[in-house]
Amino acid sequence: MENTPLQRQAAYMRKCLFEQDDENPNFAEEVVTLFYKDSSKALVNTEQELEKRPLDFSMMDAYMHKFKGSTVSIGALRLKNEISLFREYCKMSNEEGCIRTFEMVKKEHAALRKKLETYFQLLRQAGPVETATRPKSDPKSSGDK
C-alpha cells in the first residue's frame, strides 16, 4: 500500500496521541471508546447530583474519582487537573466551587472529544495506517526464500 501524505499525517497524530502497540493496532481506538462510555456516564451522574439538594459531595467525589482514573489512562492532563480541582471542592463541601469547576470539566471533556474525533476522522480518511507503517518481516527469519 502506498504511504500517502494523509496516512503519514494520521501516523504522526497517532504517535503524538498514543504510544502505539504494533501487536494491537486498534488499542488506541478501543481505549478511547471505553473512555467516552465511562466519562459520559460520570458526567451525567455528576450533573444529576448537582441538581439535587442537599448535595451529596461524597457521591460526586466517587463519580469523579472513577472519571479521573479513566482520564489518566488516556493521558488527558488538562481534564485530569480540572477533575482534581472538582474533587478538592467536594472534599471542602464547596457547592459554588463544584458548580463552577464542573463547567470547566465539561469544557475540557468537549475539547478533548473534538480533538480525538478529528484524529479518528483523519484515520478513516487515510485508510489503514498499520499497513503503511508496519515493518516487513525478514524472510530469512521466517523460513521463506
Side-chain angles (χ1 to χ4, degrees):
M1 172 175 250
E2 183 176 315
N3 195 356
T4 67
L6 199 53
Q7 288 171 326
R8 286 191 300 273
Q9 184 180 4
Y12 175 76
M13 286 183 76
R14 178 183 295 231
K15 185 174 186 208
C16 291
L17 289 169
F18 311 103
E19 285 293 320
Q20 188 59 37
D21 179 4
D22 288 337
E23 296 295 317
N24 186 1
N26 295 323
F27 178 73
E29 292 84 350
E30 292 168 9
V31 169
V32 170
T33 298
L34 183 59
F35 168 76
Y36 277 108
K37 180 181 173 193
D38 291 345
S39 64
S40 294
K41 187 182 222 180
L43 289 172
V44 166
N45 289 340
T46 303
E47 191 143 32
Q48 289 173 348
E49 286 297 326
L50 282 168
E51 293 171 0
K52 296 178 184 176
R53 294 297 179 269
L55 290 178
D56 186 342
F57 292 101
S58 63
M59 184 62 73
M60 290 189 301
D61 184 52
Y63 293 141
M64 287 293 127
H65 175 73
K66 185 176 179 184
F67 185 15
K68 183 178 172 183
S70 296
T71 302
V72 169
S73 75
I74 66 163
L77 184 60
R78 291 173 65 168
L79 182 55
K80 180 197 79 83
N81 291 340
E82 290 299 332
I83 293 168
S84 294
L85 184 58
F86 181 90
R87 293 188 67 212
E88 287 300 316
Y89 284 123
C90 285
K91 290 175 181 142
M92 295 185 293
S93 299
N94 182 328
E95 180 176 337
E96 185 178 316
C98 285
I99 292 168
R100 186 177 60 247
T101 306
F102 186 67
E103 290 305 313
M104 291 304 298
V105 167
K106 291 191 303 184
K107 181 179 175 184
E108 286 298 329
H109 183 263
L112 177 63
R113 182 177 204 112
K114 185 175 181 180
K115 288 177 189 176
L116 290 171
E117 285 174 352
T118 300
Y119 165 71
F120 288 118
Q121 182 179 23
L122 178 63
L123 275 183
R124 285 188 295 278
Q125 290 173 355
V129 175
E130 305 78 42
T131 305
T133 60
R134 186 181 300 268
K136 295 181 180 177
S137 62
D138 183 0
K140 293 177 186 174
S141 66
S142 64
D144 295 337
K145 294 189 180 192

